[in-house]
Tab-separated table of all heavy atoms in Angstrom:
chain	number	residue	atom	x	y	z
A	21	HIS	N	0.817	-1.213	-0.001
A	21	HIS	CA	0.000	-0.002	-0.001
A	21	HIS	C	0.856	1.268	-0.002
A	21	HIS	O	0.497	2.262	-0.630
A	21	HIS	CB	-0.916	0.023	1.223
A	21	HIS	CG	-1.962	-1.035	1.224
A	21	HIS	ND1	-3.017	-1.038	0.336
A	21	HIS	CD2	-2.129	-2.134	2.003
A	21	HIS	CE1	-3.791	-2.094	0.569
A	21	HIS	NE2	-3.271	-2.769	1.575
A	22	HIS	N	1.970	1.253	0.728
A	22	HIS	CA	2.722	2.477	0.965
A	22	HIS	C	3.907	2.687	0.032
A	22	HIS	O	4.402	3.807	-0.082
A	22	HIS	CB	3.229	2.496	2.402
A	22	HIS	CG	2.137	2.569	3.422
A	22	HIS	ND1	1.252	3.624	3.496
A	22	HIS	CD2	1.770	1.710	4.399
A	22	HIS	CE1	0.395	3.408	4.476
A	22	HIS	NE2	0.685	2.259	5.038
A	23	LEU	N	4.390	1.629	-0.615
A	23	LEU	CA	5.644	1.738	-1.356
A	23	LEU	C	5.506	1.496	-2.854
A	23	LEU	O	6.483	1.642	-3.585
A	23	LEU	CB	6.670	0.751	-0.780
A	23	LEU	CG	6.986	0.923	0.707
A	23	LEU	CD1	7.962	-0.167	1.163
A	23	LEU	CD2	7.548	2.294	1.011
A	24	PHE	N	4.307	1.110	-3.296
A	24	PHE	CA	4.123	0.747	-4.701
A	24	PHE	C	2.960	1.520	-5.304
A	24	PHE	O	1.952	1.783	-4.648
A	24	PHE	CB	3.850	-0.760	-4.838
A	24	PHE	CG	5.014	-1.627	-4.456
A	24	PHE	CD1	5.208	-1.998	-3.134
A	24	PHE	CD2	5.914	-2.069	-5.407
A	24	PHE	CE1	6.280	-2.796	-2.773
A	24	PHE	CE2	6.979	-2.865	-5.059
A	24	PHE	CZ	7.175	-3.239	-3.736
A	25	MET	N	3.125	1.858	-6.555
A	25	MET	CA	2.048	2.519	-7.287
A	25	MET	C	0.836	1.607	-7.392
A	25	MET	O	0.973	0.405	-7.696
A	25	MET	CB	2.541	2.904	-8.686
A	25	MET	CG	1.584	3.778	-9.481
A	25	MET	SD	2.230	4.083	-11.158
A	25	MET	CE	3.799	4.852	-10.761
A	26	ASN	N	-0.318	2.172	-7.093
A	26	ASN	CA	-1.576	1.431	-7.238
A	26	ASN	C	-1.570	0.142	-6.425
A	26	ASN	O	-2.164	-0.860	-6.814
A	26	ASN	CB	-1.863	1.128	-8.715
A	26	ASN	CG	-3.350	1.060	-9.014
A	26	ASN	OD1	-4.089	1.995	-8.704
A	26	ASN	ND2	-3.810	-0.029	-9.593
A	27	GLY	N	-0.883	0.169	-5.271
A	27	GLY	CA	-0.867	-1.008	-4.409
A	27	GLY	C	-0.222	-2.216	-5.022
A	27	GLY	O	-0.487	-3.343	-4.613
A	28	ALA	N	0.673	-2.015	-6.010
A	28	ALA	CA	1.335	-3.092	-6.741
A	28	ALA	C	0.327	-3.947	-7.510
A	28	ALA	O	0.578	-5.113	-7.794
A	28	ALA	CB	2.168	-3.982	-5.809
A	29	LEU	N	-0.801	-3.346	-7.873
A	29	LEU	CA	-1.871	-4.086	-8.552
A	29	LEU	C	-2.292	-3.350	-9.822
A	29	LEU	O	-3.442	-2.959	-9.991
A	29	LEU	CB	-3.067	-4.262	-7.620
A	29	LEU	CG	-2.841	-5.237	-6.474
A	29	LEU	CD1	-3.896	-5.061	-5.395
A	29	LEU	CD2	-2.867	-6.679	-6.997
A	30	MET	N	-1.353	-3.165	-10.725
A	30	MET	CA	-1.629	-2.529	-12.005
A	30	MET	C	-1.403	-3.555	-13.105
A	30	MET	O	-0.349	-4.186	-13.161
A	30	MET	CB	-0.724	-1.310	-12.183
A	30	MET	CG	-0.958	-0.550	-13.454
A	30	MET	SD	-0.221	1.118	-13.450
A	30	MET	CE	1.275	0.876	-12.529
A	31	SER	N	-2.385	-3.704	-13.975
A	31	SER	CA	-2.278	-4.670	-15.063
A	31	SER	C	-2.583	-3.995	-16.393
A	31	SER	O	-3.288	-2.975	-16.441
A	31	SER	CB	-3.252	-5.841	-14.869
A	31	SER	OG	-2.913	-6.595	-13.723
A	32	ALA	N	-2.053	-4.571	-17.454
A	32	ALA	CA	-2.402	-4.099	-18.784
A	32	ALA	C	-3.887	-4.324	-19.027
A	32	ALA	O	-4.534	-5.151	-18.363
A	32	ALA	CB	-1.573	-4.833	-19.837
A	33	ASP	N	-4.431	-3.601	-19.974
A	33	ASP	CA	-5.866	-3.675	-20.238
A	33	ASP	C	-6.339	-5.081	-20.550
A	33	ASP	O	-7.460	-5.471	-20.203
A	33	ASP	CB	-6.239	-2.737	-21.390
A	33	ASP	CG	-6.154	-1.268	-21.005
A	33	ASP	OD1	-6.043	-0.966	-19.800
A	33	ASP	OD2	-6.183	-0.414	-21.910
A	34	ASP	N	-5.502	-5.870	-21.217
A	34	ASP	CA	-5.911	-7.233	-21.553
A	34	ASP	C	-5.572	-8.228	-20.452
A	34	ASP	O	-5.794	-9.437	-20.608
A	34	ASP	CB	-5.305	-7.680	-22.887
A	34	ASP	CG	-3.782	-7.796	-22.840
A	34	ASP	OD1	-3.174	-7.539	-21.784
A	34	ASP	OD2	-3.201	-8.163	-23.888
A	35	GLY	N	-5.024	-7.752	-19.332
A	35	GLY	CA	-4.723	-8.619	-18.196
A	35	GLY	C	-3.519	-9.512	-18.384
A	35	GLY	O	-3.255	-10.371	-17.535
A	36	SER	N	-2.729	-9.299	-19.440
A	36	SER	CA	-1.665	-10.250	-19.756
A	36	SER	C	-0.358	-9.962	-19.037
A	36	SER	O	0.533	-10.811	-19.026
A	36	SER	CB	-1.406	-10.259	-21.266
A	36	SER	OG	-0.920	-8.995	-21.697
A	37	ILE	N	-0.218	-8.765	-18.446
A	37	ILE	CA	1.024	-8.446	-17.753
A	37	ILE	C	0.708	-7.551	-16.566
A	37	ILE	O	-0.096	-6.624	-16.654
A	37	ILE	CB	2.058	-7.777	-18.696
A	37	ILE	CG1	3.414	-7.612	-17.985
A	37	ILE	CG2	1.560	-6.472	-19.263
A	37	ILE	CD1	4.562	-7.313	-18.953
A	38	SER	N	1.327	-7.865	-15.446
A	38	SER	CA	1.192	-7.074	-14.225
A	38	SER	C	2.392	-6.154	-14.111
A	38	SER	O	3.536	-6.582	-14.290
A	38	SER	CB	1.111	-8.008	-13.008
A	38	SER	OG	1.010	-7.272	-11.807
A	39	VAL	N	2.142	-4.879	-13.829
A	39	VAL	CA	3.198	-3.868	-13.804
A	39	VAL	C	3.432	-3.425	-12.363
A	39	VAL	O	2.524	-2.889	-11.713
A	39	VAL	CB	2.816	-2.665	-14.682
A	39	VAL	CG1	3.893	-1.592	-14.632
A	39	VAL	CG2	2.573	-3.116	-16.126
A	40	ILE	N	4.639	-3.656	-11.873
A	40	ILE	CA	5.012	-3.307	-10.502
A	40	ILE	C	5.939	-2.098	-10.551
A	40	ILE	O	7.024	-2.167	-11.133
A	40	ILE	CB	5.729	-4.476	-9.801
A	40	ILE	CG1	4.924	-5.770	-9.932
A	40	ILE	CG2	6.000	-4.126	-8.342
A	40	ILE	CD1	3.601	-5.747	-9.241
A	41	ALA	N	5.517	-0.986	-9.974
A	41	ALA	CA	6.312	0.242	-9.987
A	41	ALA	C	6.333	0.851	-8.595
A	41	ALA	O	5.319	0.839	-7.884
A	41	ALA	CB	5.730	1.244	-10.987
A	42	GLY	N	7.473	1.390	-8.204
A	42	GLY	CA	7.596	2.013	-6.903
A	42	GLY	C	6.897	3.353	-6.855
A	42	GLY	O	6.823	4.078	-7.843
A	43	GLN	N	6.353	3.665	-5.692
A	43	GLN	CA	5.823	5.002	-5.424
A	43	GLN	C	6.104	5.299	-3.962
A	43	GLN	O	5.322	4.968	-3.075
A	43	GLN	CB	4.326	5.099	-5.721
A	43	GLN	CG	3.770	6.511	-5.539
A	43	GLN	CD	2.339	6.632	-6.013
A	43	GLN	OE1	2.060	6.583	-7.216
A	43	GLN	NE2	1.415	6.783	-5.088
A	44	ALA	N	7.263	5.887	-3.714
A	44	ALA	CA	7.736	6.111	-2.357
A	44	ALA	C	8.628	7.337	-2.355
A	44	ALA	O	9.060	7.804	-3.423
A	44	ALA	CB	8.519	4.890	-1.854
A	45	PHE	N	8.921	7.881	-1.169
A	45	PHE	CA	9.924	8.929	-1.092
A	45	PHE	C	11.280	8.252	-1.311
A	45	PHE	O	11.752	7.488	-0.489
A	45	PHE	CB	9.875	9.622	0.277
A	45	PHE	CG	10.841	10.768	0.384
A	45	PHE	CD1	10.544	11.985	-0.204
A	45	PHE	CD2	12.058	10.623	1.038
A	45	PHE	CE1	11.439	13.058	-0.120
A	45	PHE	CE2	12.954	11.675	1.126
A	45	PHE	CZ	12.646	12.895	0.544
A	46	GLY	N	11.882	8.538	-2.447
A	46	GLY	CA	13.061	7.802	-2.901
A	46	GLY	C	12.755	6.934	-4.097
A	46	GLY	O	13.647	6.311	-4.673
A	47	GLY	N	11.463	6.882	-4.499
A	47	GLY	CA	11.059	6.190	-5.713
A	47	GLY	C	11.380	4.710	-5.714
A	47	GLY	O	11.405	4.038	-4.678
A	48	GLY	N	11.640	4.190	-6.923
A	48	GLY	CA	11.950	2.769	-7.070
A	48	GLY	C	13.213	2.356	-6.348
A	48	GLY	O	13.411	1.168	-6.076
A	49	GLY	N	14.080	3.329	-6.010
A	49	GLY	CA	15.290	3.008	-5.280
A	49	GLY	C	15.034	2.505	-3.880
A	49	GLY	O	15.925	1.931	-3.247
A	50	VAL	N	13.812	2.702	-3.368
A	50	VAL	CA	13.460	2.183	-2.044
A	50	VAL	C	13.156	0.687	-2.091
A	50	VAL	O	13.470	-0.052	-1.154
A	50	VAL	CB	12.238	2.952	-1.472
A	50	VAL	CG1	11.754	2.332	-0.159
A	50	VAL	CG2	12.578	4.416	-1.275
A	51	ILE	N	12.568	0.234	-3.204
A	51	ILE	CA	12.068	-1.146	-3.239
A	51	ILE	C	12.802	-2.023	-4.255
A	51	ILE	O	12.434	-3.192	-4.430
A	51	ILE	CB	10.536	-1.175	-3.507
A	51	ILE	CG1	10.133	-0.296	-4.716
A	51	ILE	CG2	9.799	-0.666	-2.281
A	51	ILE	CD1	10.145	-0.954	-6.037
A	52	ASN	N	13.829	-1.501	-4.922
A	52	ASN	CA	14.529	-2.360	-5.887
A	52	ASN	C	15.519	-3.277	-5.173
A	52	ASN	O	15.639	-3.244	-3.948
A	52	ASN	CB	15.180	-1.538	-7.007
A	52	ASN	CG	16.356	-0.696	-6.533
A	52	ASN	OD1	16.883	-0.866	-5.433
A	52	ASN	ND2	16.773	0.239	-7.362
A	53	TRP	N	16.227	-4.082	-5.948
A	53	TRP	CA	17.019	-5.178	-5.362
A	53	TRP	C	18.517	-4.913	-5.390
A	53	TRP	O	19.305	-5.856	-5.364
A	53	TRP	CB	16.713	-6.485	-6.096
A	53	TRP	CG	15.265	-6.839	-6.130
A	53	TRP	CD1	14.256	-6.296	-5.373
A	53	TRP	CD2	14.643	-7.806	-6.976
A	53	TRP	NE1	13.053	-6.872	-5.699
A	53	TRP	CE2	13.258	-7.793	-6.672
A	53	TRP	CE3	15.110	-8.680	-7.951
A	53	TRP	CZ2	12.351	-8.631	-7.314
A	53	TRP	CZ3	14.212	-9.513	-8.593
A	53	TRP	CH2	12.843	-9.487	-8.266
A	54	SER	N	18.921	-3.668	-5.490
A	54	SER	CA	20.335	-3.252	-5.414
A	54	SER	C	21.135	-3.518	-6.678
A	54	SER	O	22.298	-3.117	-6.759
A	54	SER	CB	21.058	-3.922	-4.223
A	54	SER	OG	20.483	-3.550	-2.996
A	55	ALA	N	20.579	-4.200	-7.652
A	55	ALA	CA	21.332	-4.537	-8.863
A	55	ALA	C	21.773	-3.273	-9.587
A	55	ALA	O	20.953	-2.403	-9.885
A	55	ALA	CB	20.492	-5.413	-9.795
A	56	SER	N	23.067	-3.186	-9.893
A	56	SER	CA	23.647	-1.960	-10.457
A	56	SER	C	24.485	-2.301	-11.687
A	56	SER	O	25.712	-2.307	-11.653
A	56	SER	CB	24.499	-1.252	-9.405
A	56	SER	OG	23.732	-0.924	-8.262
A	57	LEU	N	23.784	-2.594	-12.772
A	57	LEU	CA	24.436	-2.983	-14.023
A	57	LEU	C	24.552	-1.776	-14.944
A	57	LEU	O	23.597	-1.009	-15.115
A	57	LEU	CB	23.639	-4.088	-14.712
A	57	LEU	CG	23.655	-5.444	-13.981
A	57	LEU	CD1	22.517	-6.329	-14.468
A	57	LEU	CD2	24.989	-6.139	-14.187
A	58	LEU	N	25.715	-1.614	-15.564
A	58	LEU	CA	25.929	-0.519	-16.503
A	58	LEU	C	25.223	-0.797	-17.824
A	58	LEU	O	25.026	-1.957	-18.220
A	58	LEU	CB	27.423	-0.333	-16.760
A	58	LEU	CG	28.313	0.003	-15.562
A	58	LEU	CD1	29.739	0.273	-16.044
A	58	LEU	CD2	27.791	1.195	-14.790
A	59	THR	N	24.863	0.281	-18.517
A	59	THR	CA	24.288	0.157	-19.862
A	59	THR	C	25.288	-0.538	-20.769
A	59	THR	O	26.453	-0.137	-20.846
A	59	THR	CB	23.985	1.549	-20.434
A	59	THR	OG1	23.554	2.415	-19.398
A	59	THR	CG2	22.920	1.457	-21.508
């Protein structure tokens, strides 16, 4: 409820993919997994 956009319950219109996005002070950097890969 507090750290994800739309309660981590956002899906494409056809229901085929669930989209998990951060919504927190600090953004996705609060809830990501530390992976730091260069382009």
Side-chain angles (χ1 to χ4, degrees):
H21 293 291
H22 295 299
L23 302 177
F24 294 86
M25 188 184 302
N26 210 54
L29 289 164
M30 182 164 35
S31 295
D33 289 347
D34 65 0
S36 64
I37 187 165
S38 179
V39 179
I40 309 295
Q43 184 172 290
F45 183 78
V50 174
I51 49 89
N52 69 14
W53 305 345
S54 298
S56 301
L57 292 162
L58 300 185
T59 324

